[in-house]
Amino acid sequence: MSQHIYKTIELVGSSTVGVEDATRRAIAKAAETVRNLRWFEVTETRGHIEGADVAHWQVTLKIGFTLEDSA
């Protein structure tokens, strides 16, 4: 089993659809610029209310990725 060192970043994903969509959007955006994504943890969920309905979801994530070995 190889040993890994992880670095974490914190992102907030948002969606009008739901929590899962907000999570997927944040991970997809991170994957555009960060390599070696390995895990995520939802640390906070909140939303915006308009009238009596949920209008917007926000999900705070910690995303872990492995650091590359310098050769």
Side-chain angles (χ1 to χ4, degrees):
M1 175 183 208
S2 61
Q3 297 179 15
H4 296 287
I5 302 298
Y6 295 93
K7 181 165 180 65
T8 61
I9 55 175
E10 186 175 79
L11 300 173
V12 178
S14 60
S15 172
T16 57
V17 177
V19 173
E20 185 175 332
D21 187 55
T23 301
R24 290 183 185 280
R25 286 174 178 269
I27 292 169
K29 191 63 174 177
E32 291 178 10
T33 58
V34 180
R35 293 186 302 271
N36 304 319
L37 298 179
R38 298 291 186 238
W39 56 266
F40 73 94
E41 174 186 1
V42 175
T43 59
E44 185 176 7
T45 305
R46 61 185 170 273
H48 175 74
I49 300 169
E50 288 183 6
D53 292 325
V54 175
H56 206 87
W57 293 92
Q58 290 185 330
V59 178
T60 303
L61 305 167
K62 283 186 181 178
I63 298 178
F65 59 97
T66 54
L67 298 174
E68 294 179 346
D69 292 331
S70 58

